[in-house]
Amino acid sequence: MTLKALILAAGQKPLSSGTGALELQPLGDTTVLGHVIRNLKGLVAPRDVIVVSAPGTLKAVQMEVGWEPALVIQDTPLGTGHAVLQAADALAGFDGDLLILYGDTPLLRPASLRGLLNRHRLKSVSLTLLTANVPQDLPYGRVRRDEHGKILDIVEQTEADDETKAIRELNVGAYIVKAATILDALKRVAAKGGEIRLTDCVKQLLHSGLKVDSYQLYDVDEVRGINDAGDLEAAAFILQKRLFRPHRQEEENEVAFGTGGWRAIIGEGFTMHNVRRLSQALANEITRKGLEKKGVIVGYDRRFLSRQAAEAASEVFAGNNIPTILCNEDAPTPLINYATAMLGSGFGLAFTASHNPPEWNGLKVFHGDGSLLLDDETRVIAAETNALTTADVIKLELDLAIEAGIVAVKDFTNQYIDAVEALIDMDAIRKAGLRLAIDPMYGVGQLTLETLLTEGRCRCHFIHNRHNPLFGGRSPAPDPDAMRDLINMMQQDHYDLGLAMDGDADRIALLDDRGRYISFNDVLVLLYWYLHEVRGQTGGVVRNLSTTHLLERLAKAFGEKCTETPVGFKHIAAGMVADNALLGGESSGGLTIRGHILGKDGIFASGIVVEMVARTKAKISELQEKVWAITGRLYSAEENFPATPEMKIAIPQRLKKDPCTTVAGYAVERISHVDGTKLYLENDNWAQLRFSGTEPVLRLAAEADSPEKAAELIAWLKQFASA
């Protein structure tokens, strides 16, 4: 069944004196009319779009459309029905359906237009109109029905009595109708003279006995048209809000990178189709840069579909004549990172969703030096991925690729462990005879860490170490709540240390000999002190915006530099390279040091913590007292606040329009909007609001002179976020 679309954009109503027609007003990255046209993508062929325009706006409309649809001029504004009649010549000989839209209704979703069309075709009716049940009293026609739900009439608001005005079902103003049917009806209305309204014609069709149906909207935001500057501002807010709608990318089959790579729900956004498209985009980038001979390394963790995704990616690289190394078994992300840098590959791929819940999976992509791709690079890769179709993907079946030698299956475990051991004082660990309790959280960290620590003659007791892609029914994130089993074991059996890792083993958490959770802020400060004072190494430290300022105090005491970066270890790695820093870390459990990989490494982090305890022969609490004697104390507090799409727009707008001068009564010295909003107070105190790049939450963080003050700051942030 053929379909054409007719957009009525000849209103010429300016928003204010001196402005152009409202349909051509800027809205987001295009204009009001641009959004209406964009909503037709994939629904109507460009050659089948007709725009009715006012005189003098023809060129602007052509530029906005971006292709060459039929453009029709309405010289005299005699009503919306008259505007449709101007397209009669363009529709001559066309006997299919006509989708009629207004050029000032940019908020209709493409899915709603598809629903309207689908219902029209399945019901085999002559006319289908778009309706919505809206609680507000808006200036739209009311849809009057009989007791059986049959549409009887559309009553304009200006003509409605009190009973009709109480009807909440509105005529939104989008229709699908046979082109010949609507044009014949309009000609009959035109014969009466005067203004020709499209709704009068629709009412005539309703009363003529033709089969009529409707498709109902449930998102009231779609109903809003653009009539004034306030509507335009509200529309901009709604469009931005939709960008942050949970799973928007997955529903639209799009790949989008966050702070730690691409992550999506399995079966929703994480599909083999998207894995292959993303691999093709990466293969295209390698080919463009002439890096084919460098090849790629593809690894994976224990998550559901990780191995299958790695094999699918390998087939795509092989199909593009790019030599590929596929890891022979599930492996920690830092091992894949190390192997990528060791071989100087074109790219390294690690299929993992890190600490996300088990229903998620994803991909981290490394440069040949082992650093993660930066934001501007991932935006380009994602855009190319989303433009590709199944037909654009080139692949070679894995068995053929292995037989041909374009894909090789290899193991880097021993080389990686050797590299880690070269950075750790294994002799000191062997002499200490430590007893360790370790929880890899059903992830990939056990083999490498057990090998490392066993060679250090440690007595290791592992829990949650078998392969379980459901991670025991929880997120494999090493936070205090998830470590209760390990804490209990520590307290009962009196181990020297307790260690936990996340699902892909790039982050850790630490328990002291009493089973007390040590915040990773404190771990970073201890390690920076240890590297400088005990090992005798020099150099600055790099931390992100959400990590303790005690590192700054300690660096100052050492005469070194402390650099602050946005959240995301890729920024920390870049800062370390720029400053030749000794240590880089983040409060969420990740760190690396100069001379090791440009990514966080939970295996190495565990090893260096064990070395610190072995070499100093001191308890964690004793080491903390030594460091606090230099830095003083600061106390951290964090809380995750469920984030709605509206919050992601409204909170940054409020903070920028009305900058905070105080937080919980404490003076704000300066504000940073580099990554979320960070409010700097006196004496290295601070408070921060930042939307997560991997989960639908608003992260609240604070650091203050006392636990009570830190709690005050968090309480203020929560109140601000919920206002």
Side-chain angles (χ1 to χ4, degrees), residues 207-458:
H207 299 158
S208 68
L210 292 176
K211 290 180 67 177
V212 176
D213 212 307
S214 65
Y215 178 79
Q216 183 177 332
L217 301 176
Y218 292 95
D219 178 2
V220 296
D221 286 343
E222 295 185 71
V223 178
R224 184 185 287 270
I226 308 298
N227 295 297
D228 54 36
D231 289 337
L232 194 64
E233 184 177 355
F237 182 92
I238 290 166
L239 289 171
Q240 289 181 70
K241 177 181 72 174
R242 287 179 183 174
L243 292 175
F244 296 109
R245 182 166 48 87
H247 313 315
R248 178 186 68 85
Q249 285 89 6
E250 292 95 324
E251 292 165 7
E252 297 175 5
N253 202 29
E254 291 184 353
V255 168
F257 283 76
T259 54
W262 168 50
R263 297 181 195 178
I265 291 177
I266 296 168
E268 183 75 57
F270 188 86
T271 63
M272 291 301 106
H273 172 60
N274 280 340
V275 166
R276 292 186 180 101
R277 289 197 304 156
L278 178 50
S279 299
Q280 184 64 53
L282 292 167
N284 290 348
E285 182 69 4
I286 286 175
T287 303
R288 274 192 294 267
K289 292 183 174 179
L291 301 176
E292 298 98 309
K293 290 184 179 180
K294 289 182 175 292
V296 296
I297 292 177
V298 182
Y300 55 95
D301 69 1
R302 287 183 167 182
R303 284 180 180 267
F304 181 64
L305 289 185
S306 283
R307 178 179 60 81
Q308 292 86 344
E311 291 174 350
S314 298
E315 290 182 332
V316 173
F317 288 113
N320 284 270
N321 290 172
I322 298 171
T324 302
I325 295 174
L326 175 63
C327 289
N328 69 324
E329 61 182 349
D330 51 67
T333 292
L335 183 152
I336 300 163
N337 184 314
Y338 165 79
T340 303
M342 179 184 72
L343 297 179
S345 301
F347 282 129
L349 282 70
F351 282 96
T352 177
S354 190
H355 64 280
N356 277 46
E359 63 268 25
W360 291 71
N361 211 328
L363 176 66
K364 295 179 180 179
V365 185
F366 305 107
H367 289 116
D369 63 359
S371 62
L372 282 166
L373 271 61
L374 295 176
D375 294 339
D376 57 344
E377 297 171 301
T378 57
R379 278 192 291 268
V380 171
I381 293 294
E384 181 168 357
T385 298
N386 296 326
L388 295 174
T389 67
T390 301
D392 296 319
V393 175
I394 307 159
K395 66 186 183 73
L396 176 66
E397 287 80 358
L398 187 61
D399 58 337
L400 296 177
I402 292 173
E403 184 179 350
I406 191 71
V407 172
V409 179
K410 293 187 179 181
D411 179 13
F412 295 95
T413 303
N414 290 339
Q415 290 148 292
Y416 167 71
I417 292 173
D418 289 344
V420 171
E421 288 185 356
L423 295 168
I424 293 174
D425 189 342
M426 298 298 293
D427 287 338
I429 295 176
R430 290 188 186 101
K431 292 174 184 175
L434 298 173
R435 296 178 68 249
L436 309 174
I438 303 167
D439 185 357
M441 297 196 164
Y442 301 106
V444 291
Q446 183 202 346
L447 174 62
T448 45
L449 185 56
E450 185 175 22
T451 302
L452 175 73
L453 295 177
T454 300
E455 290 184 4
R457 306 294 191 269
C458 295

Side-chain angles (χ1 to χ4, degrees), residues 515-564:
R516 183 173 60 103
Y517 177 78
I518 306 299
S519 81
F520 206 71
N521 277 326
D522 286 338
V523 174
L524 288 172
V525 175
L526 285 173
L527 286 175
Y528 187 44
W529 170 85
Y530 171 72
L531 293 171
H532 194 280
E533 293 295 274
V534 179
R535 276 193 167 199
Q537 295 176 279
T538 59
V541 63
V542 180
R543 59 166 178 79
N544 67 28
L545 284 149
S546 301
T547 300
T548 180
H549 283 214
L550 287 180
L551 285 170
E552 195 142 20
R553 290 185 180 179
L554 191 55
K556 186 176 180 181
F558 292 156
E560 302 282 8
K561 178 182 179 183
C562 179
T563 299
E564 184 174 80

Side-chain angles (χ1 to χ4, degrees), residues 435 461 488-495:
R435 296 178 68 249
H461 186 139
N488 290 336
M489 192 169 73
M490 289 285 299
Q491 292 173 341
Q492 290 173 11
D493 297 332
H494 308 293
Y495 290 87

Side-chain angles (χ1 to χ4, degrees), residues 116 128-134 143 145 151 154 168-174 213-218 223:
L116 177 68
T128 305
L129 54 129
L130 200 60
T131 72
N133 279 295
V134 178
V143 178
R145 297 178 183 264
I151 298 175
I154 297 173
R168 294 273 69 90
E169 186 179 11
L170 308 182
N171 173 35
V172 175
D213 212 307
S214 65
Y215 178 79
Q216 183 177 332
L217 301 176
Y218 292 95
V223 178

Side-chain angles (χ1 to χ4, degrees), residues 4 151 169 191 245 466 504 585 648:
K4 289 181 182 278
I151 298 175
E169 186 179 11
R245 182 166 48 87
R466 60 187 174 83
D504 68 332
K648 290 190 175 184

